[in-house]
Amino acid sequence: MQFAHELIVPEVGFPFKLFLFEGREGHYHREKHWHRSIEIFAVCDGELEFKIDEKTWHLTAGEFMIVNSNEVHEVDSPLPNETIVLQIPLKVFEKYYTGEQFIWFTHEPGRKDARFMELLEELYKTYCEKQCGYDMKMNSIFYHLLYLLVKEYRLTEVEDAFVRKNKNLNKLSAITSYMKENYAQELSLEEVARIFGYSPTYLSRMFQKYAGITYKSYLQNIRLEYAMKDLKGGKYNITETALRSGFSGSKAMARAFRKKYGILPSEYKENA
């Protein structure tokens, strides 16, 4: 099945977010991150690589990955692909929690994989065509997907370590949300720790232990993502982009940019 290369912004009224993966053109890498929603990546064409808790998963056409709430993951997309992404708010599953705001799905292939994949493709196709009554059909498909998720993929017995990590990543989510809202400001580890009532040492350990990344690296990744958007937009020059993104200047941004992407901001801007 071939899909149009466009980002889908769901209309009001659907209890989910549906869109095509932003790394569909290839040469893309999404650094370690996590979120509260359940996220499903369904590869329709091409391939993707996931790393979750140091384990690597290689997905090809016809396969999908369920990423749990607060599960740290990174995605590598070196080649062009067509991948549907479905994000489901955690509260949708509140009747099926196995603990305090906790539900966990397996990554292992199940016997319902083929049917699940068909439904995901049908959901996206229905949205694109927008025929009469499509909203009702979409909700019908969506709830069928939810049924398969809780029946075939939900784990009812989960190790205590997963539950503890989930709780700590919930705490970190409030901190990272603050960082994303204030990335252009001075965000030293000491200042952010003070705002949230932690010692700098404790906050540093939280990032390293539960997110698998240092505070400094996480902040720099946020700033680089915003810098790339500004450079691609073409509205701001290199120095303006650096300052808008929270870097001390163009040289600091260039060092970080080159280290992560292998090219200078000026080169990226020229080809964007």
Side-chain angles (χ1 to χ4, degrees), residues 100-159:
E100 184 181 348
Q101 293 191 337
F102 188 81
I103 188 168
W104 202 256
F105 297 98
T106 179
H107 303 303
E108 299 295 342
R111 54 190 176 85
K112 294 290 184 180
D113 281 4
R115 179 56 180 151
F116 197 91
M117 191 71 192
E118 288 173 4
L119 288 168
L120 282 167
E121 292 182 344
E122 186 179 2
L123 182 70
Y124 189 87
K125 183 173 182 289
T126 300
Y127 185 85
C128 290
E129 293 178 349
K130 287 186 171 61
Q131 295 182 2
C132 179
Y134 83 98
D135 53 338
M136 290 185 286
K137 184 176 180 180
M138 284 188 69
N139 280 315
S140 173
I141 297 169
F142 175 67
Y143 282 103
H144 194 166
L145 285 167
L146 291 185
Y147 167 73
L148 291 179
L149 278 171
V150 298
K151 184 175 184 293
E152 302 294 337
Y153 300 100
R154 180 174 64 112
L155 297 178
T156 55
E157 295 183 7
V158 183
E159 295 179 11

Side-chain angles (χ1 to χ4, degrees), residues 157-211:
E157 295 183 7
V158 183
E159 295 179 11
D160 290 340
F162 284 114
V163 179
R164 285 196 301 272
K165 186 173 183 179
N166 179 70
K167 289 181 178 179
N168 280 286
L169 282 169
N170 270 339
K171 295 177 183 178
L172 274 179
S173 290
I175 297 170
T176 55
S177 293
Y178 178 84
M179 293 167 69
K180 290 174 182 176
E181 292 170 1
N182 299 278
Y183 65 92
Q185 301 177 20
E186 174 61 37
L187 286 179
S188 68
L189 173 66
E190 291 73 18
E191 177 62 13
V192 174
R194 183 192 65 77
I195 291 171
F196 286 90
Y198 298 118
S199 72
T201 301
Y202 180 75
L203 182 58
S204 178
R205 284 204 304 264
M206 281 182 70
F207 266 91
Q208 193 66 60
K209 182 176 181 179
Y210 296 107

Side-chain angles (χ1 to χ4, degrees), residues 31-35 39 51-52 67 71-75:
E31 298 287 349
K32 287 182 177 179
H33 65 288
W34 68 97
H35 34 67
E39 192 170 43
K51 181 174 282 187
I52 302 176
V67 181
E71 190 164 41
V72 179
H73 59 287
E74 55 185 307
V75 189

Side-chain angles (χ1 to χ4, degrees), residues 204-248:
S204 178
R205 284 204 304 264
M206 281 182 70
F207 266 91
Q208 193 66 60
K209 182 176 181 179
Y210 296 107
I213 191 172
T214 65
Y215 173 87
K216 182 179 179 180
S217 294
Y218 192 88
L219 176 59
Q220 186 162 278
N221 286 340
I222 293 174
R223 288 172 168 167
L224 284 171
E225 286 180 11
Y226 281 98
M228 286 187 75
K229 290 179 181 178
D230 276 358
L231 291 170
K232 191 172 184 178
K235 185 177 179 180
Y236 305 99
N237 62 36
I238 302 295
T239 300
E240 289 172 331
T241 297
L243 297 177
R244 279 173 49 82
S245 303
F247 290 97
S248 59

